[in-house]
């Protein structure tokens, strides 16, 4: 019985640590924004990092471009040095954010699925419009 419990814990940890990708967002000279796109499947998530200064305003808007499910996709914004705690939670606040940034550093915009799309391994394509002013 102890072995079965350990196997369940290890397989759950493995499922939680599934594929995660990261990309640094840089704006072209003279621009203050860009559009990124990608796909998320099941438990995956994608982190975009973006350097900014305290007092600047971040704008982020997420839209579905394609899906084989319901298109239940969101993003969170994590402050520099975050352990996963977000300053903006898309599943609560929606898929358009306009926030004043509290500190200097690299912010993370984490794109992820929820609900049936996550649980059944559906794939959702997305466009993420990002800007800092």
């Amino acid at each position: 019985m102890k072995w079965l419990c350990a196997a369940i814990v290890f397989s759950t940890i493995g499922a939680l640590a599934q594929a995660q990708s990261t990309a640094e967002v840089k704006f072209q000279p003279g621009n203050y924004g860009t559009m990124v796109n990608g796909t998320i499947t099941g438990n995956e998530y994608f982190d975009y990092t973006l350097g900014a200064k305290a007092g600047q305003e971040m704008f982020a808007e997420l839209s579905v471009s394609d899906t084989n499910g319901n298109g239940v996709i969101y993003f969170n914004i994590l402050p520099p040095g975050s352990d996963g705690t977000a300053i903006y939670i898309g599943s609560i606040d929606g898929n358009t954010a306009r926030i004043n940034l509290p500190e200097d550093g690299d912010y993370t915009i984490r794109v992820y699925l929820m609900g049936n799309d996550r649980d059944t391994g559906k794939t959702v394509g997305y466009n993420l419009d990002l800007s800092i002013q």
Side-chain angles (χ1 to χ4, degrees):
M1 185 65 169
K2 287 182 183 179
W3 181 85
L4 179 60
C5 291
I8 291 171
V9 169
F10 282 69
S11 67
T12 302
I13 290 170
L16 293 175
Q18 257 186 317
Q20 180 224 347
S21 299
T22 303
E24 185 176 357
V25 176
K26 294 196 179 224
F27 302 142
Q28 294 296 322
N31 290 332
Y32 58 90
T34 192
M35 176 82 73
V36 295
N37 54 55
T39 59
I40 299 288
T41 300
N43 288 323
E44 295 175 348
Y45 59 94
F46 200 106
D47 285 351
Y48 294 95
T49 59
L50 182 59
K53 301 234 180 258
Q56 287 186 303
E57 182 181 72
M58 178 185 290
F59 172 81
E61 184 172 43
L62 181 67
S63 60
V64 174
S65 62
D66 189 30
T67 183
N68 65 357
N70 298 315
V72 183
I73 190 167
Y74 297 102
F75 70 91
N76 292 350
I77 300 173
L78 289 69
S82 176
D83 61 358
T85 302
I87 58 173
Y88 185 90
I89 302 172
S91 64
I92 296 170
D93 299 317
N95 278 340
T96 302
R98 188 176 302 272
I99 61 171
N100 290 316
L101 301 176
E103 60 186 293
D104 294 356
D106 291 331
Y107 286 81
T108 300
I109 299 91
R110 177 167 292 163
V111 180
Y112 60 94
L113 301 181
M114 285 187 71
N116 194 51
D117 283 358
R118 180 197 63 218
D119 297 341
T120 59
K122 299 297 184 189
T123 298
V124 178
Y126 63 89
N127 296 312
L128 179 59
D129 186 8
L130 294 170
S131 66
I132 300 281
Q133 292 189 26

